[in-house]
Structure formats: C-alpha cells, structure tokens
Amino acid sequence: MSPFPYRLVATDLDGTLLRGDETVSARTRDALAAATAAGAAHIVVTGRSVPWTRHILDDLGYDGLAVCGQGAQVYHAGEHRLLTSVTLDRQLAGLALAKIEAEIGPVDLAASRDGLDGEVLVSPGYRLHDGPLPARPMEDPTELWSAPLNKVYIQHPDLSDDALTAAARETVGSLVDIVLAGPGIVEILPLGLSKATGLSLAARRLGVKAAETIAFGDMPNDIPMFAWAGHGVAMANAHDDLKAVAHEITASNESDGIAVVLEELLSRSSGS
C-alpha cells in the first residue's frame, strides 16, 4: 500500500471535466471525491472567466480555489472572491489587432471584461457556442476598449482555428500571447500569461509543488500547464499538439477519462 501520489489534481473544464452537455458524470465526481479523501486537492483550471465558470463550480459544490480566464484570475469559490486578476493592456491589444487584420483581413471579435461579473461583449459576426453563458451584443466597436479586459477573442471567416492561431502568433507574438482554447476560440492574452501562471500562484497558496500535481486537459492552451505539472494527461479527444507533449492519454471527456486515471491511481494506493 502506497499513498496517493499527487497532492493536487488540476482539471480543465470544457472537453475535459465537462461532458458535451456541460455536466460532470457521477463517476467522475466520485473519483474526484475519492482523490480528495486520499489527500489531494482538486483545482479547476479553465480558460473561462469567472462569470462563465461560477455556476459550474456552484453545481459541483466546489469551494476551493479555481484558476480562470486562461490563468488571469485566481478565484476563491467558497468566498466568491477574486484573489488575483491580470488584465490585457488595451492599447497593446488594439495595436495587435490592427497588425493581425493588416496581415489576414478583418476578424470578428468578442471580449471578456475583468471582474467577478465582467460581461462578454460580442461583435455581430462573432459565432458564440450554444448555451446559457451570458454575453452582450456589441453594437459600437468603441465599447470593446471602454473597460478593463482579461482577453479578446478573434474568429476569421475563412481560416481554420489552427491557421488563424499560427498567423496571429507569427504576426504579433512579440506583443501578446495567442492561444487556441477550443473550437472557434482563439484568444489574445497578455504576453507571458498562461494557465501555468495562475496554477503556480494557486499551488503556492496551497503549499503544493509542481511535481506533486497531475493535470488533465484537451487543447493547446493546456500545454503550459502540462509543462509545469509533474504529470500531464491528455483526453482521447484532445488536440494533437497537446497529445504530443502529454505523459499519458486517457479516455475522452464523454467516457470519464479523468475517472479512469484517478481510479487506477487510487487502486494502486489502496493496494487493491
């Protein structure tokens, strides 16, 4: 019998912890609860900002720390309080957008405002995923820059997500970070910001080291988190770029991939 090998279980949300209907299966809930009972803390690390994450955390009965906004926000779910928040330099973001559009033509935009109740503003052409997430149409383009932002989202009418990410990164990668966070979700972030940034801050508060962390994810924006954590597990449905750097590949989010790994670890630590 050996102890559970990790003190921190870091999970992305979309495509990882959440199924397609935005629920968490009973099996995965039970596996996380068992890992917690064995001494590991569970931390959500998501690209979603706090307003788009809070209802999921509340449904899970989650009262610990969460890393939101692609690492920009460390949020205390139990206290409904932001502990840290990093904003995007709006002048720099405007310059980056202008350079991107000069290179590849007009893009459609959305933007996530800072704060516990920060709105997501959406330009007329931007394609939002179906669902209950709150967003407000942006009729006047100057609204984009009228309040502090965590990130700007871009979409292109012709380029694929991978092509848009590569073109934007090549054009403005020295000014801002460009990440692919999900289908149709290409983001402009402050330079140097990543999930690893927020996760390392949260882990420090919890007194946990990188080597004591197992991380689960599905998209290229999870690559820095995998590089930071002691062990990175990609879902079967993950992007090839993440699979290429993962220590392990598990089942898909629809097939309880997180539970598959945690159950095996728990089985080993119990000696059964």
Side-chain angles (χ1 to χ4, degrees):
M1 182 172 174
S2 59
F4 190 74
Y6 299 102
R7 293 183 59 207
L8 189 61
V9 178
T11 64
D12 173 45
L13 280 183
D14 297 282
T16 303
L17 180 63
L18 297 181
R19 297 179 290 190
D21 62 359
E22 292 209 347
T23 63
V24 180
S25 74
R27 180 183 176 186
T28 296
R29 287 174 186 253
D30 288 347
L32 286 166
T36 300
H42 172 222
I43 187 165
V44 166
V45 185
T46 178
R48 296 185 185 213
S49 58
V50 169
W52 280 18
T53 307
R54 191 165 44 214
H55 67 289
I56 295 168
L57 302 180
D58 290 345
D59 177 63
L60 287 170
Y62 186 102
D63 59 6
L65 302 183
V67 176
C68 301
Q70 224 64 264
Q73 300 170 317
V74 177
Y75 171 64
H76 195 303
E79 298 177 0
H80 294 279
R81 184 165 63 95
L82 268 178
L83 303 181
T84 65
S85 188
V86 178
T87 56
L88 178 63
D89 185 307
R90 284 170 279 170
Q91 186 172 358
L92 201 58
L95 174 61
L97 271 175
K99 287 180 174 291
I100 290 169
E101 292 192 318
E103 186 68 26
I104 62 172
V107 295
D108 295 309
L109 301 171
S112 174
R113 284 185 168 170
D114 186 40
L116 286 174
D117 300 305
E119 297 176 303
V120 173
L121 305 178
V122 182
S123 70
Y126 191 88
R127 303 178 305 281
L128 270 181
H129 293 285
D130 292 336
L133 299 179
R136 183 165 67 79
M138 179 173 57
E139 297 177 3
D140 180 358
T142 62
E143 275 192 282
L144 185 70
W145 313 113
S146 63
L149 304 174
N150 293 128
K151 65 175 80 172
V152 172
Y153 303 87
I154 57 174
Q155 290 177 345
H156 193 275
D158 302 315
L159 294 178
S160 69
D161 295 336
D162 287 311
L164 174 57
T165 302
R169 189 174 288 153
E170 183 176 345
T171 304
V172 297
S174 62
L175 299 175
V176 292
D177 272 348
I178 306 292
V179 299
L180 174 54
I185 306 173
V186 179
E187 300 177 355
I188 297 174
L189 301 172
L191 192 64
L193 179 70
S194 73
K195 286 188 175 185
T197 314
L199 180 55
S200 64
L201 288 173
R204 194 175 304 136
R205 285 176 176 267
L206 296 171
V208 178
K209 298 176 182 177
E212 300 171 309
T213 302
I214 183 170
F216 294 84
D218 74 309
M219 290 300 290
N221 62 319
D222 294 314
I223 291 174
M225 178 167 71
F226 278 24
W228 182 85
H231 193 76
V233 184
M235 314 305 287
N237 49 288
H239 192 284
D240 287 343
D241 287 356
L242 186 68
K243 287 181 176 178
V245 301
H247 296 97
E248 180 181 353
I249 297 173
T250 186
S252 73
N253 62 318
E254 299 290 348
S255 300
D256 297 304
I258 291 174
V260 169
V261 174
L262 293 182
E263 287 165 358
E264 173 63 22
L265 292 172
L266 288 160
S267 175
R268 287 185 212 161
S269 64
S270 68
S272 60

